[in-house]
Amino acid sequence: MSTTPSTGSTPLIEAPRRRRWPLVLAALVAVAVVVGLLVALTGGDDEAAADRRSVRLGVVGASDPYWADFQDAAAEEGIDVEVVDFADYNQPNPAVAEGDLDMNQFQHIVFLADYDVASGEDLQPIGATAIYPLGLHSKQYDSVEDIPDGATVAVPNDASNQARALVLLQSAGLIELRSGGTIFSDLADVDEDASRVEVKALDAALTATSLEDLAGAVVNNDFVEKAGLDFDDALAQDDPNDPKALPYANIFAVRADDVDDPTYRELVEIYQETQAVQDGVREVSGGTAVMLDTPVEQLQESLRQVEADTRAQQD
């Protein structure tokens, strides 16, 4: 029969002491892992943010749905595009020249050439988008033949679109141009005695909205649907497939120093290769847009030629 040791006596076998340092070490390792993960995650966010690029793009008609598709496609490639809307064709080019915008997309080559020569700037095309046919519309008549002699027809008042509109009116048999029709034709080129109608120049944004008071008007593609008109109702239109139509190819334009910028070139590719964008452009144009992927060198050569012709015209 065993006896129980008295209180306060030393146990026969002393229990081992608990070693705390492995627990401390494990805790430190766990903290280090968590901290490391946080740093890695935060650093990854910073690195990803640093890799993203931002571009300010000026357009006329930012409400067109395909611009949202373009922004989404660009964002997937790490490019945040701010689309800046303009109501006046005369504003986006100075904004690029002065550095308020990185690039713009609203004009054709003839318009850009006219701007460069008049302003002394050197904006350049870096990619094509589409050629849009120019149409003659009327709310009073159903055909060109129905337009009475002496009636008034409006054309855009900016130089490049005015010349194109006058050539269209000539091809429709409504006027005669003394020069035969060139990219420099203006109202002074109209042979009034040989023409069936009188021609009036209006701001491009007003030609469509003035149709109630006119026999007809040549309306830029941008303003057809906005004015409640139907592309299919045009009494006449020019042919965007004509090889001579290249100067009327719409383009992305940048400062001359930026023509080789990889981000801007990538945005052109995104525009040309994103199906939603291409389909959206055709839809907004009523199916009339002829989409382009013309080599940049051809666009720049066309610009040089039109600028040279413009300077020669002024001499």
Side-chain angles (χ1 to χ4, degrees), residues 170 176-181 187-193:
Q170 178 173 255
E176 289 292 334
L177 298 171
R178 296 185 180 90
S179 68
L187 294 187
D189 194 22
V190 177
D191 185 339
E192 296 180 0
D193 293 335

Side-chain angles (χ1 to χ4, degrees), residues 190-214:
V190 177
D191 185 339
E192 296 180 0
D193 293 335
S195 299
R196 281 187 51 211
V197 299
E198 296 182 5
V199 183
K200 178 180 182 180
L202 295 174
D203 185 279
L206 299 179
T207 57
T209 57
S210 301
L211 276 173
E212 298 291 347
D213 303 316
L214 299 166

Side-chain angles (χ1 to χ4, degrees), residues 13-124:
I13 300 177
E14 183 177 6
R17 298 190 179 207
R18 298 185 62 184
R19 297 182 180 179
R20 301 184 59 190
W21 66 267
L23 296 177
V24 173
L25 179 59
L28 290 175
V29 169
V31 170
V33 169
V34 172
V35 171
L37 287 173
L38 290 173
V39 170
L41 291 173
T42 304
D45 289 343
D46 291 342
E47 183 176 348
D51 287 342
R52 296 197 70 81
R53 294 154 288 169
S54 298
V55 174
R56 283 172 57 84
L57 169 68
V59 306
V60 174
S63 61
D64 291 336
Y66 64 83
W67 284 122
D69 295 324
F70 177 71
Q71 287 175 294
D72 290 343
E76 290 179 2
E77 300 302 324
I79 307 173
D80 298 318
V81 179
E82 179 186 357
V83 176
V84 182
D85 194 23
F86 292 89
D88 184 346
Y89 285 156
N90 295 312
Q91 296 176 339
N93 279 333
V96 171
E98 294 167 8
D100 295 330
L101 296 175
D102 298 305
M103 59 197 307
N104 65 43
Q105 196 284 295
F106 76 100
Q107 66 193 321
H108 47 54
I109 291 172
V110 176
F111 191 95
L112 177 58
D114 185 67
Y115 170 77
D116 277 352
V117 171
S119 66
E121 299 290 351
D122 186 19
L123 302 188
Q124 291 288 319

